[in-house]
Amino acid sequence: MTDTKYTIRGETGDWEVVVGLEVHAQVTSNAKLFSGAATAFGAEPNTQVSLIDAAMPGMLPVPNRECIRQAVRTGMAIDAQINTWSRFDRKNYFYADLPQGYQISQLYHPIVGEGHIDISLDDKNPDAHGKRIGVERIHVEQDAGKLMHDQHPTRSYVDLNRCGVALMEIVSKPDLTSPAEAGAYLAKLRSILRYVGSCDGNMDQGSMRADVNVSVRKPGEPLGTRTETKNVNSVRFVMAVVEQEAKRQIEVIESGGKIVQETRLYDPDRNETRSMRSKEDAHDYRYFPDPDLLPLELDGAFLEECRASLPELPDAKRRRYEAQGITAYAASVLTAEVEAARWFDALLEAGAAPVAAANWTTSELFGALNRTGKDIETSPVSPAQAAELLGLVADGTLSNTLAKQVFEIMLETGQGAAAIVEEKGLKQTSDTGEIERVITEVMAANADKVAEYRGGKDKLFGFFVGQTMKAMGGKANPGVVNDVLKKALG
């Protein structure tokens, strides 16, 4: 991250942008927040609805212990205050996809208090140019259902499958000051959630979405009036919302208008935000403690179990890799997605040397997966097979060139590296007698170039190396070739 502050040039000078994100993350659990109904994505409408979700008379909610556990583990992962006493509130509003007429949330006493997330815009050196973004709170709440307007020409249908699904609302402080910072924060938060296992982070399926709060101000002035753009479902779109909404607000202010606190929607096709409704305040929802739910009280044993279950998190894993000699950039790439980090850990456990393994994984493996449209979980090459291939390079059996040939065959067939080397006869030779014989032939066929080299044209050395390797089908050990050539050429 550079030290240059992000500003937007308007007609009246520079403007600063202030951004806060409210991220709704669907909790990975075995059921909904207050019922035993399933939460599978893509199910037929209204097939995952219990009597509680449908708000049938006399139904009482019961908190799902796993949902509470996942929220606490998430709080611990961002070094947040865990509140051992929290309470559920009713947020009252009427909408057709909300059968109860209220949403159960946690306005006044959330389960998780203040924490932080460290971001960086510099993959090459994440620690040198980082920034700490404050997290104000995490509270748990139930999701609403969904209206479907495209099923009938004159009617809207209601799908209650999502009604009652457990959400964590993760509220940042207004510490973000550019589209890039907002994108980096959301990406880092998603990475942490997926490492912890508390949310799958599938933004395209709606299991993680962001409400983007944006305001603008002249440098040094108080915070401006903010707008909230709802349900933005990708890192790229969050960055676009910050940029476009900031520019819109500046144009409004500079043309003599005023920014209204309101809720807006983002249209990715037009890359613009549009007004949805005026922004409600807390008192508009008539919050009060939910009379059907006792306060949550967390004991020490529960908190200890939550903390003990946390995995190694992205920043700690990255620093461990760097301590093994892996570059900061490669470590950052390897730890960005939890599946890639697990695959790489398995590669190291199989005996691969860290630096060689990191270089090979980030270049050869990721390049091949990208080329073939696969991801790390569907890789045709397992960590154990990759370790075998790298071991053959390390012990001199394969040159880097031959290793690439073997890897391509592994991708196509799923065979192990040693079996391919044996079957195809691809073993690198370090036989100095054979190499000397070939070099003698190469020099005899290029006597004029030998004379030029000996007359001072040192750059011709590469020519002789290339000719020797070509004559030996790429199977000669390059180090031995170089040594023998130097002696032969004098």
Side-chain angles (χ1 to χ4, degrees), residues 286-366:
R286 306 186 321 282
Y287 279 95
F288 61 85
D290 192 300
D292 291 337
L293 288 161
L294 291 169
L296 286 173
E297 296 188 30
L298 311 178
D299 62 28
F302 177 77
L303 295 177
E304 190 175 318
E305 184 276 322
C306 287
R307 192 172 296 282
S309 72
L310 287 178
E312 183 181 41
L313 295 169
D315 285 348
K317 194 177 287 290
R318 175 174 56 81
R319 292 191 182 100
R320 174 165 65 84
Y321 289 169
E322 289 178 29
Q324 293 175 295
I326 296 169
T327 66
Y329 175 72
S332 180
V333 171
L334 289 166
T335 56
E337 294 289 345
V338 64
E339 292 87 1
R342 286 174 182 155
W343 195 97
F344 186 70
D345 276 341
L347 177 58
L348 295 183
E349 286 167 12
V355 174
N359 293 338
W360 180 86
T361 302
T362 54
S363 58
E364 299 298 328
L365 178 65
F366 287 174

Side-chain angles (χ1 to χ4, degrees), residues 58 185 201 305 319 353 382 461 473:
Y185 169 85
E305 184 276 322
R319 292 191 182 100
S382 70
F461 188 81

Side-chain angles (χ1 to χ4, degrees), residues 8 38 60 66 86 114 129 169 177 203 223 260 279 453 471 490:
I8 296 177
L60 292 175
E66 180 62 13
S86 61
E114 291 193 4
H129 301 289
E169 182 167 342
T177 57
M203 300 188 76
L223 291 174
V260 179
K279 173 67 178 168
Y453 175 84

